[in-house]
Amino acid sequence: MTLAEHPAVPADHLLGVYSRAPLAFERGRGARLYTAEGEAYLDCLAGIATTGLGHAHPKLVKALEDQAEKLWHVSNIFRIPGQEALAGRLTASTFADVVFFTNSGTEAVECALKMARKFHWANGNPERIDVIGFEGAFHGRSYAAVHAAGNPHYTEGFGPALPGYVQLPFGDMEALDAAVGPTTAAIIIEPVQGEGGARAVPETCLTQLRKLCDERGVLLIYDEIQCGMGRTGKLFAHEWAPDATPDIMCVAKALGGGFPVGACLATAHAAAGMTVGSHGSTYGGNPLAMAVGIAAFDEISRPETLQHVRDLAGFFTQGLKGLQDRYPDVIADIRGKGLLIGVKLIPNNREFMALARDQHLLVAGGGDNCVRLLPPLVMTTEEASEALAKLEQACEAVRAKAAAT
Ligand SMILES: *Cc1c(COP(=O)(O)O)cnc(C)c1O
């Protein structure tokens, strides 16, 4: 479309960057969303893996309400006890020693990339600036994040490419071995790709990556913004792989259960270059975000929650494989890890999403013609059965449509 063809002002006055479903919700509870007219939808996308504990979880609502009456914001020029409490929890359960809190995943990625370059600069290796990323990755929408992921749809038209970013094919360990050199600062990877279509990096690859980074003096950054916080049935997805901890890790989405918060976790070693004044944020880690973050962390990190995720993931996968057997003309592949499930389709994934919506089932899109199932971690088995039945109806609708044309 040329500029002249554009409507001068869209009716909703919103920048036209989203392809939105024609639906609005008024309230939610657990895995259900309700329109203003009271129509219920089963939520199998959880705000893109963000409302991990479902909608209006009583413990999160209480934490937010209690904090809202006490204190909203003070600035990071003061100690914020909630940050110390959540950082304590995050470091006690991971490889990390220190945490920087942000408002979003993108900002956590931005912090990780800056930290990696600063590490080498502070160590007397300022030539180490290159960040290696992988095809199909998504790391957010800032300049650095779009170049780290390298998806041309997100970089095209936005000016010259940032220097120091390298893209490699997904899972190509040979290409990686050849690409890592004396100017490499870091490798950034999602242990399970989200937007790219629920593709899990094989556990042996993560272990190999860790080894390669150690041998070559390169920092390993995990983007666990989507696959972390219980989504795969472990607190973080890389825990499935032996000896594969990163130096730096980005977390967000389910960390705040729907309240905007992100975090960049690091070892003391990797964070050594980040001295006073080198980074900061106005809102990052403010008391409201921390109150909700602590409540969400305590709920998600419970062994019972993580066990439930593993059980429910098994139930979904088995049901979906059954569907694939019955509808080989609709479903091409089932993949992903835990409750980050990709269903690769034969018909167009956007059309399938609309047919699922007709059944009052909400699923997310994804790369490689997938739809992603990202149910809340607390979805019940009964709700999961209902989701599978609705998916079957959607498969039937695909057939009916094909027969009619
Ligand atoms: C959503 C997402 C981001 C970006 O997070 P925002 O909060 O939208 O900035 C980055 N990486 C991954 C893997 C994501 O899923």
Side-chain angles (χ1 to χ4, degrees):
M1 198 183 285
T2 66
L3 280 179
E5 285 168 318
H6 254 292
V9 181
D12 59 10
H13 295 277
L14 296 173
L15 188 69
V17 292
Y18 297 113
S19 159
R20 297 177 197 268
L23 258 182
F25 298 105
E26 187 183 56
R27 63 200 171 84
R29 191 93 198 166
R32 306 267 173 197
L33 281 165
Y34 301 90
T35 65
E37 294 74 37
E39 285 205 55
Y41 283 76
L42 187 55
D43 184 7
C44 263
L45 72 89
I48 316 288
T50 297
T51 50
L53 294 168
H55 300 284
H57 190 286
K59 289 192 180 160
L60 270 52
V61 171
K62 177 150 192 342
L64 186 61
E65 282 177 352
D66 287 354
Q67 187 60 46
E69 296 198 343
K70 285 193 272 186
L71 185 66
W72 288 20
H73 184 82
V74 289
S75 157
N76 281 305
I77 62 176
F78 299 103
R79 280 185 49 223
I80 296 178
Q83 286 188 19
E84 296 165 19
L86 186 51
R89 283 161 167 80
L90 285 166
T91 54
S93 349
T94 64
F95 70 95
D97 302 307
V98 291
V99 181
F100 178 81
F101 288 107
T102 67
N103 312 290
S104 68
T106 303
E107 289 166 276
V109 168
E110 194 77 20
C111 178
L113 296 171
K114 287 176 72 176
M115 184 185 288
R117 283 188 176 167
K118 199 73 191 288
F119 167 85
H120 293 292
W121 178 87
N123 273 349
N125 299 308
E127 72 287 357
R128 283 196 179 266
I129 60 154
D130 294 336
V131 174
I132 297 177
F134 296 91
E135 172 267 320
F138 181 76
H139 299 303
R141 300 294 200 144
S142 68
Y143 267 103
V146 293
H147 285 95
N151 181 340
H153 285 119
Y154 299 157
T155 55
E156 202 175 82
F158 290 111
L162 289 192
Y165 291 91
V166 177
Q167 258 70 48
L168 298 179
F170 178 84
D172 188 339
M173 295 303 287
E174 268 173 45
L176 182 62
D177 191 64
V180 174
T183 60
T184 308
I187 295 171
I188 183 166
I189 189 166
E190 300 161 79
V192 185
Q193 279 191 352
E195 302 288 323
R199 284 197 293 185
V201 178
E203 286 156 24
T204 52
C205 275
L206 292 181
T207 307
Q208 261 179 283
L209 256 175
R210 175 68 272 173
K211 196 158 161 276
L212 182 76
C213 287
D214 286 340
E215 286 166 4
R216 312 272 179 96
V218 168
L219 294 178
L220 180 57
I221 304 172
Y222 286 158
D223 180 344
E224 290 232 18
I225 290 166
Q226 187 159 151
C227 62
M229 289 309 292
R231 180 60 42 196
T232 67
K234 299 250 191 203
L235 188 57
F236 292 103
H238 72 268
E239 292 171 30
W240 288 103
D243 303 317
T245 57
D247 301 289
I248 304 173
M249 179 167 74
C250 309
V251 185
K253 290 201 163 96
L255 181 65
F259 196 94
V261 59
C264 179
L265 281 62
T267 62
H269 178 70
M274 301 299 277
T275 49
V276 170
S278 61
H279 200 53
S281 167
T282 293
Y283 287 123
N286 94 353
L288 289 172
M290 293 300 99
V292 183
I294 290 165
F297 184 90
D298 287 347
E299 210 48 33
I300 290 176
S301 61
R302 288 171 57 221
E304 298 79 17
T305 307
L306 298 172
Q307 184 59 50
H308 177 73
V309 172
R310 297 195 284 271
D311 294 344
L312 198 70
F315 182 81
F316 259 114
T317 309
Q318 208 179 3
L320 288 168
K321 297 259 189 221
L323 267 188
Q324 185 187 1
D325 287 344
R326 292 198 295 289
Y327 297 90
D329 48 326
V330 182
I331 297 176
D333 190 24
I334 307 296
R335 62 201 200 188
K337 196 162 194 136
L339 291 178
L340 203 175
I341 305 169
V343 180
K344 186 172 158 67
L345 294 161
I346 292 163
N348 178 276
N349 61 348
R350 296 271 146 198
E351 282 171 27
F352 187 88
M353 283 164 71
L355 294 173
R357 219 158 46 228
D358 292 344
Q359 303 299 324
H360 287 207
L361 175 71
L362 305 172
V363 298
D368 203 21
N369 204 41
C370 280
V371 293
R372 274 173 298 163
L373 303 187
L374 305 160
L377 310 181
V378 295
M379 179 177 264
T380 63
T381 312
E382 293 71 36
E383 287 164 338
S385 296
E386 194 185 326
L388 288 166
K390 288 178 186 296
L391 282 171
E392 179 140 19
Q393 289 304 310
C395 289
E396 279 295 330
V398 170
R399 273 192 189 161
K401 233 175 128 178
T405 54

